[in-house]
Amino acid sequence: MTWLVTGGAGYIGAHVVRALQEAGLPPVVLDDLSSGRREFIPDGVPFVDGTILDRDLVARTIVEHDVDGVIHVAGFKYAGVSVQRPLHTYEQNVEGTRVVLAAMADAGVDKIVFSSSAAVFGTPDVALVTEDTPKAPASPYGESKLIGEWLIRDQGVATAASENPLRHTSLRYFNVVGSGDESVYDVSPHNLFPIVFEKLIAGETPTINGDDYDTPDGTNVRDYVHVADLAAAHVVAARRLAAGETLAPAYNLGSNNGLSVREIMDAMARVTGVDFTPAIGPRRAGDPDRIVATGELAAQDLDWDNRYTVDEMVRSGWDARRAAAA
Ligand SMILES: NC(=O)c1ccc[n+]([C@@H]2O[C@H](COP(=O)([O-])OP(=O)(O)OC[C@H]3O[C@@H](n4cnc5c(N)ncnc54)[C@H](O)[C@@H]3O)[C@@H](O)[C@H]2O)c1
């Protein structure tokens, strides 16, 4: 029951790999190391160094490692950069997903769990995002993830009456933070946690981008989820698909609970022991006041749970980042 994890050398993929191992489901990783790190892959896990854009390589990997299902995590995740690099973003996230599906069809593999994103919603004007909230992506990145969901859904429809109907689900991540293993951390230069950690390590003051939003303390409210909880939901999804069950086409892995940037900064100071007062900078274009999702459907179907406090999220991320700096 081997699962191919594309992007398994990245922050989230490396956690999914560990969760699969712990659940007794052997993983194989295919990753081009464009943003991932070889050392994030645990010893003993087979690693194929290459791109998901190479259909022969993906198909060969599936056959050589006797793959039963795919957890398709690989992707280009920088929403801001995607505005400047739409062609690259669509190539990696849309063409990449199409090639993975084509290679799966070649090899007769019929299970896929896809890494989607809250970005498919754009800037929703609702207190709590549900799976039915209208999709209005505000960047090429969000668009590419929504098209990825559509590709998978459509391939499911096209194969429904065949010998190998595609069983699938897309998991929409919100703000993924923390670390479930000290040797893996988020290296993104664009996400709040790593940005603040880098500033604190450099002895600099972190900045809040705007404190005049329509929220209780004026700073953006977001939905933070711990990467270990996220990884666990992938294992449940994989198991359910392998058991022949049908899952919803998409789940929002949200926490039902918004935290403001200021609350995160307070937790950063509390946990790291670095006494700082964040600087207040200008707003960033396109940042909505608040995005928080209910994870109810995922709780029902995928045992989705938020087991970590904000301090634990910060603590685990900080410890992993500092271990890497040591
Ligand atoms: N981190 C978040 O908060 C977040 C939120 C929503 C969605 N996502 C999605 O989750 C996935 C993983 O995100 P992450 O935070 O771990 O990012 P990451 O950049 O750490 O991981 C992406 C991995 O995919 C690999 N990769 C990229 N293009 C590839 C290609 N063409 N062929 C093979 N491998 C390739 C990279 O080398 C890297 O190891 C992405 O698809 C991202 O869009 C992440």
Side-chain angles (χ1 to χ4, degrees):
M1 193 49 74
T2 300
W3 284 78
L4 168 62
V5 183
T6 68
Y11 166 53
I12 293 171
H15 280 90
V16 170
V17 164
R18 283 164 175 74
L20 287 168
Q21 278 187 307
E22 277 161 28
L25 300 173
V28 51
V29 169
L30 188 147
D31 197 300
D32 68 359
L33 301 180
S34 52
S35 57
R37 306 245 168 120
R38 177 70 185 84
E39 63 270 23
F40 283 178
I41 305 171
D43 288 344
V45 171
F47 168 54
V48 179
D49 186 352
T51 172
I52 54 167
L53 296 168
D54 183 341
R55 178 167 169 171
D56 289 342
L57 179 68
V58 180
R60 220 167 41 244
T61 303
I62 288 174
V63 171
E64 281 172 10
H65 293 272
D66 209 7
V67 166
D68 292 293
V70 177
I71 302 190
H72 178 32
V73 183
F76 182 73
K77 72 166 175 176
Y78 302 130
V81 182
S82 78
V83 177
Q84 271 76 49
R85 302 188 67 196
L87 302 182
H88 177 74
T89 305
Y90 272 75
E91 179 187 54
Q92 298 298 313
N93 296 353
V94 177
E95 174 63 3
T97 301
R98 189 197 68 77
V99 171
V100 168
L101 288 169
M104 288 173 65
D106 292 345
V109 170
D110 58 3
K111 295 173 272 298
I112 186 166
V113 178
F114 175 56
S115 296
S116 187
S117 170
V120 302
F121 294 107
T123 55
D125 190 19
V126 291
L128 261 186
V129 174
T130 71
E131 282 72 10
D132 295 330
T133 297
K135 318 298 172 293
S139 66
Y141 170 71
E143 289 164 349
S144 71
K145 286 290 174 181
L146 188 55
I147 297 172
E149 289 189 14
W150 290 343
L151 270 173
I152 291 167
R153 176 203 63 192
D154 292 347
Q155 180 70 349
V157 171
T159 58
S162 73
E163 255 178 48
N164 275 334
L166 185 69
R167 291 198 295 280
H168 58 92
T169 192
S170 294
L171 305 182
R172 298 185 188 126
Y173 312 157
F174 285 68
N175 292 65
V176 187
V177 298
S179 185
D181 184 308
E182 264 203 13
S183 60
V184 182
Y185 60 98
D186 188 359
V187 301
S188 164
H190 303 289
N191 289 357
L192 178 65
F193 271 49
I195 289 173
V196 175
F197 291 155
E198 295 316 314
K199 289 272 185 193
L200 295 182
I201 286 170
E204 294 168 9
T205 305
T207 299
I208 293 178
N209 298 116
D211 67 349
D212 56 352
Y213 287 90
D214 187 14
T215 58
D217 68 18
T219 67
N220 293 140
V221 171
R222 294 288 178 273
D223 195 337
Y224 295 90
V225 300
H226 193 286
V227 67
D229 285 335
L230 193 87
H234 290 71
V235 172
V236 179
R239 282 218 165 106
R240 296 245 156 108
L241 293 178
E245 295 174 34
T246 301
L247 295 174
Y251 293 93
N252 293 344
L253 299 184
S255 70
N256 217 23
N257 177 39
L259 288 167
S260 73
V261 176
R262 195 176 285 286
E263 286 174 305
I264 297 291
M265 293 287 186
D266 289 349
M268 292 278 183
R270 207 162 47 232
V271 168
T272 64
V274 182
D275 186 17
F276 69 91
T277 304
I280 306 299
R283 287 179 173 216
R284 285 190 315 191
D287 265 347
D289 297 329
R290 170 191 158 95
I291 301 184
V292 178
T294 160
E296 257 172 48
L297 188 64
Q300 204 179 286
D301 288 3
L302 304 177
D303 304 335
W304 168 244
D305 198 7
N306 296 278
R307 296 170 295 162
Y308 297 87
T309 62
V310 60
D311 283 18
E312 288 166 338
M313 294 190 210
V314 173
R315 162 69 57 206
S316 61
W318 177 242
D319 286 350
R321 182 61 193 88
R322 277 203 315 175

